[in-house]
Amino acid sequence: MPIPAPLNDIVAMPAHALSDAIRSRRVSCREVMQAYLAHIDRVNPKLNAIVARRDSDELLREADARDAQLAAGQWQGWLHGMPQAPKDLTAVRGMVTSMGSLVYKDVVTAHDSILVERMRAAGAIFIGRSNVPEFGLGSHTYNKVYGATGNPYDATKTAGGSSGGAAAALAARMLPVADGSDFGGSLRNPAAFCNVYGMRPSAGRVPSGPSPEVFLKQLSYEGPMGRTPRDVALLLSVIAGHDKRAPLSLTDDPAQYAQPLDADLSGKRVGWLGDWGGYLAMEPGILDLCEAALKDLETAGCQVDDYQVPFAGDRLWRIWLAHRHLMVGGQFHALVNNPETRKLVKPALIWEVEGLEGLTARQIYQATEERSAWYQTVLRMFEDVDFLAVPSAQVFPFDVNLDWPKEIASRPMDTYHRWMETVTPWTLAGCPVISVPVGFNAEGLPMGMQLIGPPRGDLAVLQLAHAYEKARDWVQDRPPVALWEAAG
C-alpha cells in the first residue's frame, strides 16, 4: 500500500536517507524543518503526539544556522538538522519537562540529560516533546497536562506508552526517528501498537542521567525507535557509549551500530515462547500474527522452534513487582507523602509508593536474589538458542478513553500493568530486545513481536531485525490511516 502522493518527499524518507540528503546538501535544513512543521500542523491535532511545541520562526532560524555550518564544511553528526521531540520524561535544557504531571507542568529544566546532550551534539533540532503517561506509568499515553495521544491507525485507540507520543509521531511521519525509555515495555509496546521498531538496549548500553537515582534506576533504560532497523541502529550509535556520570554504562564503541546490518543468519536458532504455556492471557489473534511472522524469520535462514521457559511466570511477576515498587516508589515517595502534591498525582503512583512502604528490607533483598536466579536461567537459555521471540503485547490497541485493560480473554488483570506482563522478564534480565511489526488484525490495528538476544548482544538483535524487515516490511506496506486523512 503506497504512501499517499501529497505527502512531502522529505517527510516520507527513512531517517538514514534524510541524513544523507542533508549532509550532501541535496536538501537544506530549512527545507526539512519547513516540511516537518507543515506536516505536523496537518497531522498532530488529531493525534496529539507532539506537545510543548516551540515557535516555528525560532526553529527555522536554528535550521538556517545548521545550513550555515554545512556551507562552511561543518557537519555535527548523523542528526544534523533533523527535527526531534525528546520524550517528556528526559531533561532538555530550556524546555519544560512535565512528565505529564500537574506537579511539573511549568518547571523549565536547567540541564540536558546525557541522551539529549548527545542528540544535541549530533545536530538535532528540538521542536517540542513527545507525549507520555503521567510519570511514564502504564502503557497508555494520557495525562492531565496535555491529554491523550491517539493511534495513527485509529485515533480512537491508544498509541501505547510510555513512549506513546514518540511511536505515534514516528509512525505518522512527524519525526524521522525518536528517542524513548523503557521500564515495563515503554519502547516495545508502543512500537507494536504503532507498527514501528522500538529497541530496549542491553543494561548500560545507553547511559542514563545525570541524576541522583543513577544506582536506583537500573531497570529503566533509554533507547531508540525508528521505521527501519537501520534507523534504530544509527540512532543507537549516537546515544550509546560510556559516560563517567553513569558508572554502570558500557565501554563498547557505539560506532559499531553505524555499520551495515547485513549478516548471515543461516542456522540461527530462535526459541518461540508464545504465551508461556498458557500462563499469559492473550487477546485472540496476537499469537497467530506472531507465528506467521516467525515464518519470515525462517525465510531469513533461522530455525524456529517452540521453547519452554524453565522458570515459573508467577515467580517472575513477584520479582517484577518488588523491583517496580522499589524503583518507582523510591523515586516519587515525596510527592505521594506531601498532601499538596498527592492530590495531583495518578492512583498508580500512589499504589507503587504504598507498595514500597509495605516491603521490608529483607523482602527487597530476596527479590534481588530471585532476579539473580532468573538472570542465570536466561544465560542457560541462550546456550540452547541464539534468540528468543515472544509477543510485544497481550492486547491490541484499546479505547483511548480507557485507563487500562481490566481483563484479557475473560481473565482479570489485577494491576495497572499486569496486562503488559509479556515484557517484564526481559526488563529484569537486562537483555537487548527489539519489537518488530508483525501485521494487523481484522480491525486494522497493529501488533508486534519481541526479538530478544543475550545480554550485550545488541548488534546481533539489530541484524536479526534487519533480516526480518527484508523478508517482510510492514512499515512500508501499511502506512497509517493518519497519512491519508492528512492528505485530504
Side-chain angles (χ1 to χ4, degrees):
M1 186 181 298
I3 291 174
L7 188 67
N8 188 292
D9 288 344
I10 290 173
V11 171
M13 284 185 196
H16 60 270
L18 178 61
S19 180
D20 290 344
I22 291 171
R23 188 176 188 183
S24 64
R25 300 179 68 187
R26 298 196 303 276
V27 298
S28 69
C29 298
R30 169 173 273 267
E31 289 172 324
V32 170
M33 186 60 67
Q34 287 174 322
Y36 269 95
L37 293 179
H39 183 66
I40 291 167
D41 285 341
R42 288 192 297 271
V43 177
N44 197 55
K46 190 166 185 178
L47 298 182
N48 192 38
I50 297 177
V51 297
R53 281 183 59 186
R54 293 177 57 207
D55 177 74
S56 295
D57 289 339
E58 186 177 351
L59 292 171
L60 288 170
R61 285 194 293 272
E62 290 190 21
D64 289 340
R66 294 288 189 275
D67 281 326
Q69 287 178 303
L70 288 173
Q74 300 167 1
W75 182 71
Q76 283 190 251
W78 186 70
L79 290 172
H80 190 109
M82 291 169 65
Q84 288 294 281
K87 185 176 178 179
D88 194 19
L89 295 181
T90 192
V92 182
R93 185 181 73 244
M95 298 178 73
V96 170
T97 306
S98 78
M99 295 191 278
S101 170
L102 294 173
V103 177
Y104 299 117
K105 67 181 180 67
D106 298 316
V107 178
V108 177
T109 312
H111 68 281
D112 285 338
S113 68
I114 295 171
L115 174 141
V116 168
E117 276 182 2
R118 292 177 172 184
M119 293 172 70
R120 192 188 295 276
I125 300 176
F126 302 129
I127 63 173
R129 310 305 296 268
S130 59
N131 201 21
V132 297
E134 184 179 346
F135 299 114
L137 299 180
S139 192
H140 173 26
T141 297
Y142 72 99
N143 60 66
K144 292 182 180 179
V145 180
Y146 299 116
T149 295
N151 192 299
Y153 288 86
D154 180 347
T156 69
K157 306 295 184 183
T158 180
S162 61
S163 308
L170 185 61
R173 277 61 174 179
M174 291 188 282
L175 294 173
V177 284
D179 67 280
S181 57
D182 185 310
F183 189 157
S186 293
L187 280 157
R188 294 164 281 168
N189 187 276
F193 278 11
C194 294
N195 194 45
V196 294
Y197 296 84
M199 184 177 185
R200 175 186 165 92
S202 286
R205 181 66 65 205
V206 177
S208 296
S211 73
E213 301 93 14
V214 64
F215 289 109
L216 178 66
K217 295 177 67 176
Q218 291 182 32
L219 293 179
S220 179
Y221 308 160
E222 292 175 302
M225 306 181 84
R227 291 191 297 272
T228 72
R230 177 161 172 73
D231 290 345
V232 171
L234 285 164
L235 182 55
L236 185 61
S237 76
V238 172
I239 61 178
H242 181 70
D243 189 288
K244 64 183 179 182
R245 293 166 293 179
L248 301 179
S249 55
L250 302 179
T251 59
D252 308 35
D253 185 358
Q256 63 185 302
Y257 305 112
Q259 303 305 312
L261 294 176
D262 295 309
D264 183 6
L265 297 175
S266 301
K268 293 294 183 181
R269 301 158 299 170
V270 178
W272 168 235
L273 307 182
D275 62 1
W276 289 58
Y279 171 72
L280 294 175
M282 289 281 172
E283 189 172 336
I286 291 176
L287 294 177
D288 293 338
L289 288 177
C290 291
E291 288 167 0
L294 293 173
K295 297 185 185 304
D296 294 317
L297 287 178
E298 292 176 338
T299 299
C302 297
Q303 174 186 327
V304 180
D305 295 298
D306 291 343
Y307 192 90
Q308 190 71 34
V309 180
F311 206 97
D314 56 351
R315 182 182 175 191
L316 273 170
W317 183 248
R318 289 192 297 270
I319 303 169
W320 158 262
L321 278 185
H323 282 84
R324 181 75 170 181
H325 288 330
L326 175 62
M327 307 294 174
V328 177
Q331 186 178 359
F332 293 110
H333 66 94
L335 295 184
V336 171
N337 291 324
N338 180 335
E340 293 303 310
T341 51
R342 181 187 180 100
K343 62 188 179 184
L344 298 177
V345 303
K346 68 192 296 186
L349 185 66
I350 296 172
W351 182 81
E352 296 284 9
V353 171
E354 292 179 345
L356 175 60
E357 292 171 348
L359 291 174
T360 66
R362 177 60 185 162
Q363 287 173 317
I364 293 172
Y365 182 77
Q366 287 174 330
T368 64
E369 288 183 315
E370 284 281 84
R371 183 184 168 208
S372 296
W374 167 237
Y375 181 77
Q376 296 302 322
T377 300
V378 168
L379 293 183
R380 290 192 294 272
M381 291 164 63
F382 280 113
E383 294 174 0
D384 299 332
V385 297
D386 299 293
F387 303 98
L388 294 163
V390 67
S392 297
Q394 295 166 241
V395 294
F396 287 99
F398 51 86
D399 191 324
V400 74
N401 296 309
L402 183 67
D403 52 357
W404 49 276
K406 304 302 190 295
E407 66 174 37
I408 300 175
S410 300
R411 286 164 59 177
M413 300 291 106
D414 57 355
T415 75
Y416 77 95
H417 42 26
R418 187 64 176 250
W419 59 277
M420 302 143 52
E421 194 171 356
T422 184
V423 301
T424 58
W426 319 113
T427 291
L428 292 170
C431 292
V433 191
I434 190 167
S435 178
V436 301
V438 296
F440 297 76
N441 67 4
E443 288 72 45
L445 298 174
M447 184 43 57
M449 178 171 65
Q450 298 174 85
L451 301 179
I452 305 147
R456 304 194 183 188
D458 304 66
L459 182 58
V461 166
L462 287 162
Q463 290 169 338
L464 181 65
H466 177 65
Y468 169 80
E469 179 203 34
K470 289 197 295 185
R472 190 66 162 95
D473 188 353
W474 283 107
V475 176
Q476 287 301 312
D477 289 351
R478 289 287 293 270
V481 171
L483 295 184
W484 274 267
E485 292 174 343

